[in-house]
Amino acid sequence: MTTRSGKSLAGVLAPVVTPFAADGAVAPDAFRQNIQAHLRHGASGVLVSGSTGEAALLDEAERDQLVEWARPVVSADQWLLAGVGGESTRQTIARAMAAAARGADAVLVVAPHYYGSAMTSEVLAAHYRAVADASPVPVMLYNIPKFMHFALAHDLVRELAAHGNIVGMKDSSGDLALLRGYVASQGPAFTVLTGNGGTFLGALELGSRGGILAVSLFAGELSLEVWKAFPAGDRARAAAAQERLGRLSNEIVGGLGVPGVKSAMDQVGLAGGAPRAPLLPVKAAQRQQIAALLEDAGAARAA
């Protein structure tokens, strides 16, 4: 899919972490250096203020700063996505407008979920339509059931895919049956990306056009190996890379979360650092576990 910007919404995008300095403030130099490394490895863009970026722990000024700091580093032919989901439609629209004003190419919108039992398809459709109507830049839906505690319905996605300013979605469920239903809504104006590195190859085989993968933050070359081998028709090479990638994704991203991702980044020579409280850094035994996983997968240090 090529959007109105002329860029193809495909490939591997990096949902960047938010590094913090010793005083707890966001560390802009480390943030920029990470982005440069991800793009150098072949990422087709980055997502700031996503789940792996500790979006729930950032204040509004920090969210704005991340877009401002990322924009000069991300070239015009690469994607700069910003997570803007909020619990109110009003807040989500304000965040989308702020991100657009600071240079975001598109915004990723997780569904409101605090009042989960009230989030019917009717409510969610009205929310997403209002955000898409008001947003100066294209909108992507974000499905992450482990945080939302529900999944976007296939019929809802099909309805929203027809909106002129909703250009795609990220599905981080890891459920290929669920993803298959989302891919059924895919077309020239709507694309589906997976957010689960453990099922990346399976998602591509179902028709997903790429992934926004936390595992790519510390295994960028391995993620790109899957992405490049699949369209080349080299199923054996893609499967071998996916097996290694899947272990890293399932055990570090899925098992240890943001603290694990940040530790893995430190261990490959990028800037992870400590997460923001109440999250705690991984323990020594977990760091050793991560080191062993990285070595076994052959994850190289960042150049």
Short mmCIF file of all heavy atoms in Angstrom, two decimals, residues 37-81:
data_model
loop_
_atom_site.label_atom_id
_atom_site.label_comp_id
_atom_site.label_asym_id
_atom_site.label_seq_id
_atom_site.Cartn_x
_atom_site.Cartn_y
_atom_site.Cartn_z
N ALA A 37 20.45 4.15 14.57
CA ALA A 37 20.88 2.76 14.45
C ALA A 37 19.79 1.89 13.84
O ALA A 37 20.06 1.06 12.96
CB ALA A 37 21.29 2.21 15.81
N HIS A 38 18.55 2.06 14.27
CA HIS A 38 17.44 1.26 13.73
C HIS A 38 17.28 1.51 12.23
O HIS A 38 17.09 0.57 11.45
CB HIS A 38 16.14 1.58 14.46
CG HIS A 38 16.17 1.32 15.93
ND1 HIS A 38 16.78 0.22 16.48
CD2 HIS A 38 15.66 2.03 16.98
CE1 HIS A 38 16.65 0.25 17.80
NE2 HIS A 38 15.97 1.33 18.12
N LEU A 39 17.34 2.76 11.84
CA LEU A 39 17.18 3.09 10.42
C LEU A 39 18.37 2.59 9.61
O LEU A 39 18.21 2.12 8.47
CB LEU A 39 17.01 4.60 10.25
CG LEU A 39 15.75 5.19 10.90
CD1 LEU A 39 15.71 6.70 10.74
CD2 LEU A 39 14.48 4.57 10.31
N ARG A 40 19.55 2.64 10.19
CA ARG A 40 20.74 2.13 9.51
C ARG A 40 20.63 0.63 9.28
O ARG A 40 21.13 0.11 8.27
CB ARG A 40 21.97 2.46 10.36
CG ARG A 40 23.30 2.23 9.67
CD ARG A 40 24.42 2.92 10.43
NE ARG A 40 24.53 2.51 11.81
CZ ARG A 40 24.35 3.31 12.87
NH1 ARG A 40 24.02 4.59 12.70
NH2 ARG A 40 24.47 2.85 14.11
N HIS A 41 19.98 -0.08 10.18
CA HIS A 41 19.81 -1.53 10.02
C HIS A 41 18.76 -1.87 8.98
O HIS A 41 18.61 -3.04 8.62
CB HIS A 41 19.40 -2.15 11.36
CG HIS A 41 20.50 -2.18 12.37
ND1 HIS A 41 20.27 -2.19 13.72
CD2 HIS A 41 21.84 -2.18 12.23
CE1 HIS A 41 21.43 -2.20 14.36
NE2 HIS A 41 22.39 -2.19 13.48
N GLY A 42 17.99 -0.88 8.51
CA GLY A 42 17.02 -1.13 7.46
C GLY A 42 15.57 -0.94 7.83
O GLY A 42 14.69 -1.25 7.03
N ALA A 43 15.29 -0.44 9.03
CA ALA A 43 13.90 -0.16 9.39
C ALA A 43 13.32 0.86 8.43
O ALA A 43 13.99 1.81 8.02
CB ALA A 43 13.81 0.34 10.83
N SER A 44 12.06 0.69 8.07
CA SER A 44 11.42 1.63 7.15
C SER A 44 10.78 2.80 7.88
O SER A 44 10.18 3.68 7.27
CB SER A 44 10.36 0.92 6.30
OG SER A 44 9.43 0.23 7.10
N GLY A 45 10.93 2.83 9.20
CA GLY A 45 10.43 3.94 9.99
C GLY A 45 10.45 3.59 11.46
O GLY A 45 10.91 2.51 11.86
N VAL A 46 9.95 4.51 12.28
CA VAL A 46 9.93 4.30 13.72
C VAL A 46 8.57 4.74 14.28
O VAL A 46 7.87 5.57 13.68
CB VAL A 46 11.04 5.08 14.45
CG1 VAL A 46 12.42 4.64 13.95
CG2 VAL A 46 10.87 6.59 14.30
N LEU A 47 8.25 4.16 15.41
CA LEU A 47 7.08 4.56 16.20
C LEU A 47 7.58 5.09 17.52
O LEU A 47 8.31 4.40 18.23
CB LEU A 47 6.15 3.37 16.43
CG LEU A 47 5.09 3.52 17.53
CD1 LEU A 47 4.05 4.57 17.14
CD2 LEU A 47 4.43 2.17 17.84
N VAL A 48 7.21 6.31 17.88
CA VAL A 48 7.52 6.85 19.19
C VAL A 48 6.25 6.83 20.04
O VAL A 48 5.14 6.85 19.53
CB VAL A 48 8.10 8.28 19.11
CG1 VAL A 48 9.33 8.32 18.20
CG2 VAL A 48 7.07 9.29 18.61
N SER A 49 6.45 6.78 21.34
CA SER A 49 5.33 6.75 22.30
C SER A 49 4.40 5.57 22.05
O SER A 49 3.17 5.69 22.12
CB SER A 49 4.53 8.07 22.26
OG SER A 49 5.33 9.16 22.62
N GLY A 50 5.00 4.43 21.77
CA GLY A 50 4.24 3.19 21.70
C GLY A 50 4.31 2.46 23.02
O GLY A 50 4.86 2.97 24.01
N SER A 51 3.80 1.24 23.06
CA SER A 51 3.83 0.46 24.30
C SER A 51 5.26 0.21 24.76
O SER A 51 5.58 0.36 25.95
CB SER A 51 3.11 -0.87 24.09
OG SER A 51 1.77 -0.67 23.73
N THR A 52 6.15 -0.16 23.82
CA THR A 52 7.55 -0.39 24.18
C THR A 52 8.26 0.90 24.55
O THR A 52 9.26 0.89 25.26
CB THR A 52 8.28 -1.09 23.02
OG1 THR A 52 7.52 -2.24 22.62
CG2 THR A 52 9.67 -1.54 23.41
N GLY A 53 7.73 2.02 24.10
CA GLY A 53 8.27 3.33 24.45
C GLY A 53 7.74 3.86 25.77
O GLY A 53 7.97 5.04 26.09
N GLU A 54 7.04 3.01 26.53
CA GLU A 54 6.51 3.39 27.85
C GLU A 54 5.55 4.57 27.76
O GLU A 54 5.53 5.46 28.62
CB GLU A 54 7.65 3.67 28.84
CG GLU A 54 8.54 2.46 29.08
CD GLU A 54 9.74 2.72 29.96
OE1 GLU A 54 9.58 2.86 31.19
OE2 GLU A 54 10.86 2.77 29.41
N ALA A 55 4.73 4.58 26.71
CA ALA A 55 3.82 5.70 26.49
C ALA A 55 2.94 6.00 27.69
O ALA A 55 2.67 7.17 28.00
CB ALA A 55 2.95 5.42 25.27
N ALA A 56 2.50 4.95 28.38
CA ALA A 56 1.61 5.15 29.52
C ALA A 56 2.29 5.89 30.67
O ALA A 56 1.61 6.40 31.56
CB ALA A 56 1.08 3.80 30.01
N LEU A 57 3.63 5.95 30.65
CA LEU A 57 4.38 6.57 31.73
C LEU A 57 4.95 7.93 31.35
O LEU A 57 5.68 8.54 32.12
CB LEU A 57 5.52 5.64 32.17
CG LEU A 57 5.13 4.19 32.47
CD1 LEU A 57 6.33 3.39 32.91
CD2 LEU A 57 4.02 4.14 33.52
N LEU A 58 4.61 8.42 30.16
CA LEU A 58 5.11 9.71 29.67
C LEU A 58 4.08 10.80 29.90
O LEU A 58 2.87 10.56 29.81
CB LEU A 58 5.44 9.63 28.18
CG LEU A 58 6.47 8.59 27.75
CD1 LEU A 58 6.57 8.55 26.23
CD2 LEU A 58 7.83 8.88 28.37
N ASP A 59 4.56 12.02 30.13
CA ASP A 59 3.62 13.13 30.20
C ASP A 59 3.46 13.76 28.81
O ASP A 59 4.15 13.37 27.86
CB ASP A 59 4.04 14.16 31.26
CG ASP A 59 5.39 14.81 30.98
OD1 ASP A 59 5.72 15.05 29.80
OD2 ASP A 59 6.11 15.12 31.96
N GLU A 60 2.55 14.69 28.69
CA GLU A 60 2.23 15.23 27.36
C GLU A 60 3.41 15.96 26.75
O GLU A 60 3.66 15.84 25.54
CB GLU A 60 1.01 16.17 27.46
CG GLU A 60 -0.25 15.51 27.98
CD GLU A 60 -0.69 14.30 27.17
OE1 GLU A 60 -0.70 14.38 25.93
OE2 GLU A 60 -1.03 13.27 27.79
N ALA A 61 4.15 16.71 27.55
CA ALA A 61 5.30 17.44 27.01
C ALA A 61 6.35 16.48 26.49
O ALA A 61 6.99 16.74 25.46
CB ALA A 61 5.89 18.36 28.09
N GLU A 62 6.55 15.36 27.19
CA GLU A 62 7.53 14.37 26.73
C GLU A 62 7.10 13.74 25.42
O GLU A 62 7.93 13.52 24.52
CB GLU A 62 7.72 13.30 27.81
CG GLU A 62 8.47 13.82 29.04
CD GLU A 62 8.47 12.83 30.18
OE1 GLU A 62 7.51 12.03 30.30
OE2 GLU A 62 9.44 12.85 30.97
N ARG A 63 5.82 13.45 25.28
CA ARG A 63 5.32 12.89 24.02
C ARG A 63 5.62 13.86 22.86
O ARG A 63 6.07 13.44 21.78
CB ARG A 63 3.81 12.66 24.11
CG ARG A 63 3.40 11.47 24.97
CD ARG A 63 1.88 11.47 25.16
NE ARG A 63 1.40 10.29 25.85
CZ ARG A 63 0.95 9.19 25.27
NH1 ARG A 63 0.93 9.11 23.95
NH2 ARG A 63 0.53 8.16 25.97
N ASP A 64 5.37 15.13 23.09
CA ASP A 64 5.63 16.13 22.06
C ASP A 64 7.12 16.20 21.72
O ASP A 64 7.51 16.27 20.55
CB ASP A 64 5.14 17.50 22.52
CG ASP A 64 3.63 17.59 22.65
OD1 ASP A 64 2.93 16.70 22.12
OD2 ASP A 64 3.15 18.54 23.29
N GLN A 65 7.95 16.16 22.76
CA GLN A 65 9.39 16.24 22.54
C GLN A 65 9.91 15.07 21.72
O GLN A 65 10.78 15.24 20.85
CB GLN A 65 10.12 16.28 23.89
CG GLN A 65 10.00 17.60 24.62
CD GLN A 65 10.70 17.55 25.98
OE1 GLN A 65 10.68 16.53 26.66
NE2 GLN A 65 11.32 18.65 26.36
N LEU A 66 9.39 13.89 21.96
CA LEU A 66 9.87 12.72 21.23
C LEU A 66 9.64 12.88 19.73
O LEU A 66 10.50 12.52 18.92
CB LEU A 66 9.19 11.45 21.75
CG LEU A 66 9.56 11.02 23.17
CD1 LEU A 66 8.80 9.76 23.56
CD2 LEU A 66 11.05 10.80 23.33
N VAL A 67 8.49 13.40 19.35
CA VAL A 67 8.23 13.62 17.92
C VAL A 67 9.18 14.68 17.38
O VAL A 67 9.78 14.52 16.30
CB VAL A 67 6.77 14.03 17.68
CG1 VAL A 67 6.52 14.26 16.18
CG2 VAL A 67 5.80 12.96 18.20
N GLU A 68 9.36 15.76 18.14
CA GLU A 68 10.25 16.84 17.70
C GLU A 68 11.69 16.34 17.52
O GLU A 68 12.36 16.69 16.56
CB GLU A 68 10.23 17.98 18.72
CG GLU A 68 8.94 18.76 18.75
CD GLU A 68 8.96 19.86 19.80
OE1 GLU A 68 9.95 19.93 20.57
OE2 GLU A 68 7.98 20.62 19.87
N TRP A 69 12.14 15.52 18.45
CA TRP A 69 13.52 15.03 18.39
C TRP A 69 13.70 13.99 17.29
O TRP A 69 14.77 13.90 16.69
CB TRP A 69 13.92 14.42 19.74
CG TRP A 69 14.03 15.42 20.84
CD1 TRP A 69 14.29 16.75 20.73
CD2 TRP A 69 13.88 15.17 22.24
NE1 TRP A 69 14.31 17.34 21.97
CE2 TRP A 69 14.06 16.40 22.92
CE3 TRP A 69 13.61 14.02 22.99
CZ2 TRP A 69 13.98 16.51 24.31
CZ3 TRP A 69 13.53 14.13 24.37
CH2 TRP A 69 13.71 15.36 25.03
N ALA A 70 12.67 13.22 17.03
CA ALA A 70 12.78 12.17 16.02
C ALA A 70 12.71 12.72 14.60
O ALA A 70 13.38 12.20 13.70
CB ALA A 70 11.67 11.14 16.22
N ARG A 71 11.94 13.77 14.39
CA ARG A 71 11.68 14.22 13.02
C ARG A 71 12.94 14.53 12.22
O ARG A 71 13.05 14.11 11.05
CB ARG A 71 10.74 15.44 13.04
CG ARG A 71 10.33 15.95 11.66
CD ARG A 71 9.40 15.03 10.91
NE ARG A 71 10.05 13.99 10.12
CZ ARG A 71 9.39 13.02 9.48
NH1 ARG A 71 8.07 12.95 9.55
NH2 ARG A 71 10.05 12.11 8.80
N PRO A 72 13.93 15.25 12.75
CA PRO A 72 15.12 15.53 11.95
C PRO A 72 15.96 14.30 11.63
O PRO A 72 16.77 14.33 10.71
CB PRO A 72 15.92 16.51 12.84
CG PRO A 72 14.93 17.05 13.81
CD PRO A 72 13.97 15.94 14.05
N VAL A 73 15.77 13.23 12.39
CA VAL A 73 16.57 12.02 12.21
C VAL A 73 15.92 11.07 11.19
O VAL A 73 16.60 10.28 10.54
CB VAL A 73 16.75 11.29 13.56
CG1 VAL A 73 17.65 10.07 13.43
CG2 VAL A 73 17.31 12.25 14.61
N VAL A 74 14.61 11.16 11.07
CA VAL A 74 13.86 10.29 10.17
C VAL A 74 13.67 11.01 8.84
O VAL A 74 13.09 12.09 8.80
CB VAL A 74 12.48 9.92 10.79
CG1 VAL A 74 11.71 9.01 9.85
CG2 VAL A 74 12.67 9.26 12.15
N SER A 75 14.15 10.42 7.77
CA SER A 75 14.09 11.09 6.46
C SER A 75 12.68 11.11 5.91
O SER A 75 11.78 10.40 6.39
CB SER A 75 15.03 10.40 5.47
OG SER A 75 14.56 9.11 5.16
N ALA A 76 12.48 11.90 4.86
CA ALA A 76 11.15 12.08 4.29
C ALA A 76 10.58 10.81 3.70
O ALA A 76 9.35 10.66 3.61
CB ALA A 76 11.20 13.18 3.22
N ASP A 77 11.43 9.88 3.31
CA ASP A 77 10.94 8.64 2.72
C ASP A 77 10.78 7.53 3.76
O ASP A 77 10.48 6.38 3.42
CB ASP A 77 11.85 8.18 1.58
CG ASP A 77 13.27 7.86 2.05
OD1 ASP A 77 13.64 8.30 3.15
OD2 ASP A 77 13.99 7.18 1.30
N GLN A 78 10.96 7.86 5.03
CA GLN A 78 10.76 6.91 6.12
C GLN A 78 9.60 7.37 6.99
O GLN A 78 9.25 8.55 6.99
CB GLN A 78 12.04 6.80 6.96
CG GLN A 78 13.23 6.25 6.17
CD GLN A 78 14.55 6.49 6.87
OE1 GLN A 78 14.75 7.50 7.56
NE2 GLN A 78 15.50 5.57 6.68
N TRP A 79 9.03 6.43 7.72
CA TRP A 79 7.85 6.73 8.53
C TRP A 79 8.21 7.19 9.94
O TRP A 79 9.02 6.56 10.61
CB TRP A 79 6.96 5.49 8.64
CG TRP A 79 6.19 5.22 7.39
CD1 TRP A 79 6.54 4.35 6.39
CD2 TRP A 79 4.96 5.81 7.00
NE1 TRP A 79 5.59 4.38 5.40
CE2 TRP A 79 4.60 5.26 5.74
CE3 TRP A 79 4.12 6.76 7.59
CZ2 TRP A 79 3.45 5.63 5.07
CZ3 TRP A 79 2.97 7.12 6.92
CH2 TRP A 79 2.63 6.56 5.68
N LEU A 80 7.54 8.25 10.37
CA LEU A 80 7.57 8.65 11.77
C LEU A 80 6.13 8.56 12.28
O LEU A 80 5.29 9.40 11.96
CB LEU A 80 8.09 10.08 11.94
CG LEU A 80 8.00 10.66 13.37
CD1 LEU A 80 8.63 9.73 14.39
CD2 LEU A 80 8.63 12.04 13.43
N LEU A 81 5.87 7.50 13.02
CA LEU A 81 4.55 7.28 13.62
C LEU A 81 4.60 7.70 15.09
O LEU A 81 5.64 7.56 15.74
CB LEU A 81 4.15 5.80 13.54
CG LEU A 81 4.24 5.12 12.18
CD1 LEU A 81 3.82 3.66 12.31
CD2 LEU A 81 3.38 5.83 11.15
#
